[in-house]
Amino acid sequence: MAKEARHHHYIPQCYLRGFLPTGQKKPKLTVVDLKRKQVFLTSTRGVGGIRDFNRIVADGVAPDSLENDLSSFEAQAATAFRKLEEQRSLSDKDVFITIINLIALLAIRHPQVRTNVADAQTSLAKLIMAITVSSKERYESALRRAREGGADIDEDVSYEQAKESFERGEYDIVVPNEFHIAMEFKGIDTILPYLFGRGWVLYVAGEDAGPFVTSDRPVILEWNNAERIPPFYRHSPGFGLKNTRVIFPVSQNMALIGEYDTPDALIVAGRRFVSLVNTEVIRFARPQVYAPNASFRFVDAKGNVRPSTDLLRPSR
């Protein structure tokens, strides 16, 4: 029996390999950690992963069943990436469908998203608990309904004990992995039509344009003209909203940008455009940027193309 894999990648290694340097026997990924102001080299296994991210605990289900299913999909994605590199075109329907599905997967399934969901669920649970122990009548009514629903509740916990325990914070609220996984796949199903409904431009880095880079948040959703959006909505674009774009670095050689009312196209990108895409990648990174080497470029706030080494300068 094969040993259960416990280290699960939320960013597939087949994707990260597209940002490895070429021509090396054992290539290493260059990682720029924006928070620690550090650069280091690692294998694709060394980043974009977390223990038990895809693990399921349920009767009749193997704990690594989702991990195995995703591995099969990632094998398809690896083939799609290879074909796209060769063809430099989105005309292959199977390639296009696979990559759009991967974009949806990467957009939704991420540890930071899970943290945000868990925080929201925890706040909601605390509110419900506060209301429940606000009076003895509410508490006893809630217990009765729960037991009628089949909940196994200790008969010896009095209202006074429950209220005191709540006020002292003597409890843990745990959002199970299975809840996150179920919500994530619902989210993927929700955004897929909005990804397929966009026009996609494939940008290929021209000669001497430098590499595209990616990050630990590789799918970027942003407004086309954020300065025209009311401040209240400026930081919350939606996949179904007009005047938004999705940026996805495919590899060090290519990037996809999807917008509404835009025809599919292939464009050779120059140094400045590649640097602008890298700037957005850097802005969305949480906090790691991945590249084939440390010589990529970005554009600063004044519009100047700058070397990646400037990212490591201490913030003023």
Side-chain angles (χ1 to χ4, degrees):
M1 181 178 293
K3 184 179 179 181
E4 179 190 344
R6 302 296 295 273
H7 185 71
H8 303 159
H9 280 83
Y10 54 90
I11 302 180
Q13 292 186 76
C14 68
Y15 170 67
L16 292 173
R17 290 188 190 108
F19 297 89
L20 288 172
T22 58
Q24 297 182 11
K25 188 174 182 180
K26 294 183 178 180
K28 295 290 187 179
L29 194 67
T30 294
V31 181
V32 179
D33 192 302
L34 301 174
K35 184 176 182 180
R36 298 178 180 177
K37 302 292 185 180
Q38 294 178 345
V39 177
F40 60 92
L41 302 179
T42 184
S43 67
T44 55
R45 177 176 170 76
V47 293
I50 193 170
R51 184 174 173 84
D52 290 339
F53 188 73
N54 296 317
R55 197 167 196 265
I56 297 173
V57 178
D59 293 338
V61 179
D64 58 352
S65 58
L66 176 59
E67 174 69 6
N68 291 334
D69 288 344
L70 288 173
S71 294
S72 297
F73 171 69
E74 288 164 14
Q76 297 177 28
T79 299
F81 284 134
R82 186 178 67 253
K83 289 184 176 180
L84 189 58
E85 286 284 350
E86 295 170 352
Q87 300 168 0
R88 303 291 171 97
S89 169
L90 293 173
S91 59
D92 187 319
K93 185 178 179 181
D94 291 336
V95 168
F96 177 69
I97 290 174
T98 299
I99 290 178
I100 293 299
N101 273 272
L102 181 66
I103 291 174
L105 193 77
L106 293 173
I108 298 294
R109 305 194 72 242
H110 191 277
Q112 184 60 54
V113 176
R114 289 193 182 183
T115 297
N116 295 341
V117 170
D119 289 346
Q121 290 294 314
T122 297
S123 297
L124 178 60
K126 287 181 178 180
L127 177 61
I128 293 173
M129 290 165 65
I131 294 172
T132 300
V133 299
S134 62
S135 71
K136 187 173 183 179
E137 291 75 17
R138 284 182 182 273
Y139 175 74
E140 292 177 344
S141 175
L143 281 186
R144 184 170 59 254
R145 292 196 304 272
R147 292 190 179 108
E148 290 172 354
D152 183 14
I153 299 176
D154 192 340
E155 298 281 352
D156 297 331
V157 180
S158 67
Y159 165 69
E160 291 74 18
Q161 290 173 319
K163 184 176 181 180
E164 183 178 358
S165 178
F166 171 72
E167 291 175 346
R168 290 184 177 180
E170 299 173 344
Y171 56 87
D172 293 316
I173 300 174
V174 178
V175 181
N177 228 28
E178 295 74 27
F179 175 85
H180 287 298
I181 290 169
M183 293 297 292
E184 285 163 357
F185 281 97
K186 288 180 181 178
I188 290 168
D189 288 341
T190 298
I191 70 170
L192 270 174
Y194 302 113
L195 293 175
F196 280 113
R198 294 172 181 263
W200 290 91
V201 178
L202 178 63
Y203 290 90
V204 177
E207 187 176 357
D208 298 326
F212 288 107
V213 300
T214 191
S215 79
D216 47 7
R217 289 304 304 270
V219 179
I220 300 165
L221 173 66
E222 61 183 13
W223 298 104
N224 284 330
N225 300 289
E227 69 280 358
R228 300 180 184 177
I229 304 299
F232 184 78
Y233 300 103
R234 194 168 294 171
H235 301 291
S236 56
F239 282 96
L241 296 178
K242 299 287 187 179
N243 196 34
T244 60
R245 60 176 169 243
V246 176
I247 301 174
F248 179 63
V250 176
S251 70
Q252 60 186 292
N253 302 314
M254 298 180 294
L256 280 168
I257 298 183
E259 301 179 64
Y260 291 109
D261 303 321
T262 297
D264 295 344
L266 170 67
I267 296 177
V268 177
R271 175 182 295 186
R272 184 169 185 82
F273 185 85
V274 171
S275 301
L276 284 167
V277 171
N278 290 345
T279 302
E280 296 307 291
V281 171
I282 292 164
R283 188 164 69 89
F284 275 76
R286 295 293 183 274
Q288 293 184 338
V289 175
Y290 308 131
N293 53 59
S295 63
F296 63 88
R297 302 176 182 86
F298 70 100
V299 177
D300 65 16
K302 296 181 179 180
N304 301 313
V305 175
R306 304 285 291 276
S308 59
T309 51
D310 287 356
L311 295 171
L312 305 179
R313 293 182 177 180
S315 301
R316 293 182 179 179

